[in-house]
Amino acid sequence: MDLKFKDKIKLKLIAGKGGHGAIAFYKGRSPTGGMGGNGGNIYIEGSALTYDLNSINIDFTIKAENGIPGGDKNLTGRNGKDTVLLVPLTTNIYDYAGNLIFSLNKDGQKELLLKGGQGGLGNWFYRTKGLDNLHRSDEGKDGESLETMFELELYSDVLLIGFPNAGKSSLLNAITNAQSKVASYAFTTLNPQLGRMDGHTIMDLPGLIEGTFEGKGLGTSFVKHTRSAKMIMHLISADTEDVAGEYKKIREELKNIDEDLFNKPEVLVLTKTDLINASNIQEKLEIAKQLNKEALAVSVYDLDALEAIKNYIKKEL
Ligand SMILES: Nc1nc2c(ncn2[C@@H]2O[C@H](COP(=O)(O)OP(=O)(O)OP(=O)(O)O)[C@@H](O)[C@H]2O)c(=O)[nH]1
Ligand SMILES: [Mg+2]
């Protein structure tokens, strides 16, 4: 899923055109051509089961079905089928001028984006309008069309942040239903990953390094996905020599990346405590508490500590 993660697409959307009105006659004389059906509409619907914009499987243009032409015996053509585009939460839809048209942030929220064109009138409609009009029928109207930009902004309550290899994905997997990729090399996580824990959403982010704010490492394109988060868990591996130094580097980086991100409430979490001995853990935790008074320590192998992390999150949210 990583490589295909799509959080921004440009789309030209065209609602269906109305069907032609028919020209038909009963016994060659009286007009009986029916109306065309209306063109299909285009709806956008928010879906909690959709993770990225890949669900919209398209090229650049999406068209709803045209209305079916009218028939004889004054039959109205069938309406074109509506097109419903399912999008993840939250998807913001803009026109090319950058105006926000809709923001879909609820599961099942369905908005009519473009209306299909009306079907044309058949010659039955004009039967009383004189001889000149006996062969008259109208074309269906064009459907509305729009060039749009869909932009996904993922929702989360808690962000896991830290240097590569700090153990962010491992912690996400340990406390939520997620299966984020874990490996001993840097930048294993390429895109934001989500997990659910007791109704809360935790987001695991790509590792930060010095200079992320200027595009180093994986850059800052993830930032828009952090806006909804209420708190940050800042992870540092307990086997780090200079906990204070690393903590300050990441804080500095966050400040450079985004002021709002920097200002979110934060808790420092020492990870991988199983790698060091008990007295060393205490020592490092003391240092951590001076940097961040609520600091915690955890290992993915320590079930009590994992429970404490979960409880902390539930208490804070
Ligand atoms: N011993 C031990 N190893 C851990 C623990 N948590 C993570 N690791 C190991 O640390 C390495 C990095 O873990 P990840 O969870 O991939 O780290 P990350 O912060 O998500 O890394 P990036 O995605 O590259 O930023 C892996 O080899 C993990 O197995 C832990 O609690 N104890
Ligand atoms: Mg990771």
Side-chain angles (χ1 to χ4, degrees):
M1 176 204 55
D2 261 338
L3 291 174
K4 288 192 301 175
F5 182 81
K6 229 189 257 174
D7 61 9
K8 207 176 199 180
I9 52 175
K10 269 181 171 180
L11 276 183
K12 177 156 189 182
L13 300 173
I14 308 174
K17 184 176 173 166
H20 285 282
I23 297 176
F25 295 92
Y26 176 66
K27 293 193 171 162
R29 276 203 317 261
S30 40
T32 61
M35 263 182 85
N38 297 329
N41 302 311
I42 295 186
Y43 291 91
I44 314 290
E45 184 174 338
S47 159
L49 298 175
T50 309
Y51 177 72
D52 65 21
L53 293 170
N54 276 309
S55 55
I56 301 177
N57 182 19
I58 32 90
D59 325 326
F60 179 55
T61 303
I62 293 186
K63 265 190 100 211
E65 193 189 19
N66 292 336
I68 305 300
D72 60 8
K73 299 181 185 155
N74 193 24
L75 279 178
T76 301
R78 176 172 69 69
N79 291 338
K81 287 197 188 93
D82 294 336
T83 293
V84 181
L85 300 174
L86 288 182
V87 294
L89 308 175
T90 299
T91 296
N92 294 322
I93 298 173
Y94 302 89
D95 63 19
Y96 272 15
N99 302 306
L100 181 67
I101 305 171
F102 286 119
S103 181
L104 288 115
N105 53 21
K106 288 186 208 74
D107 191 34
Q109 180 187 349
K110 190 171 172 183
E111 306 285 357
L112 173 60
L113 186 60
L114 297 175
K115 242 176 114 50
Q118 254 189 355
L121 294 166
N123 68 342
W124 180 84
F125 181 84
Y126 293 108
R127 70 199 179 285
T128 57
K129 309 269 194 260
L131 287 179
D132 288 352
N133 283 314
L134 287 183
H135 284 80
R136 176 166 174 194
S137 77
D138 298 336
E139 256 200 66
K141 296 225 164 65
D142 283 336
E144 293 175 336
S145 68
L146 190 67
E147 294 184 313
T148 58
M149 176 84 86
F150 285 32
E151 192 161 13
L152 168 61
E153 231 184 81
L154 292 173
Y155 176 88
S156 71
D157 299 300
V158 180
L159 301 172
L160 303 182
I161 276 178
F163 280 107
N165 274 329
K168 301 177 293 298
S169 303
S170 302
L171 184 63
L172 181 83
N173 293 346
I175 63 172
T176 73
N177 62 344
Q179 295 181 323
S180 185
K181 186 173 172 191
V182 168
S184 58
Y185 52 84
F187 300 121
T188 304
T189 305
L190 300 173
N191 291 301
Q193 306 290 314
L194 299 177
R196 300 276 292 164
M197 182 206 89
D198 296 340
H200 303 302
T201 303
I202 321 286
M203 182 184 288
D204 165 29
L205 287 167
L208 300 179
I209 54 171
E210 273 179 278
T212 294
F213 81 97
E214 5 173 69
K216 291 215 179 105
L218 296 174
T220 59
S221 62
F222 69 87
V223 169
K224 63 172 172 278
H225 299 301
T226 64
R227 292 196 183 114
S228 58
K230 298 173 192 78
M231 62 179 274
I232 293 175
M233 286 200 145
H234 178 161
L235 274 52
I236 296 182
S237 177
D239 68 351
T240 302
E241 286 303 320
D242 181 11
V243 169
E246 292 223 349
Y247 176 79
K248 283 172 191 154
K249 273 186 201 158
I250 291 286
R251 291 299 296 163
E252 185 64 26
E253 201 56 35
L254 285 181
K255 193 174 189 172
N256 285 327
I257 291 171
D258 187 79
E259 193 73 20
D260 286 344
L261 189 54
F262 176 75
N263 286 323
K264 287 183 195 285
E266 184 206 54
V267 59
L268 173 53
V269 179
L270 294 178
T271 58
K272 311 191 198 181
T273 51
D274 58 287
L275 293 179
I276 60 174
N277 64 39
S279 66
N280 204 347
I281 296 173
Q282 274 319 311
E283 200 181 299
K284 295 251 167 87
L285 197 53
E286 283 310 312
I287 297 171
K289 285 196 164 150
Q290 282 164 21
L291 299 164
N292 179 283
K293 60 179 186 302
E294 310 228 35
L296 301 164
V298 74
S299 152
V300 293
Y301 304 112
D302 181 343
L303 297 183
D304 292 338
L306 289 172
E307 206 49 41
I309 295 274
K310 288 190 192 179
N311 288 333
Y312 181 85
I313 291 173
K314 285 188 256 183
K315 174 171 71 79
E316 292 299 307
L317 291 178

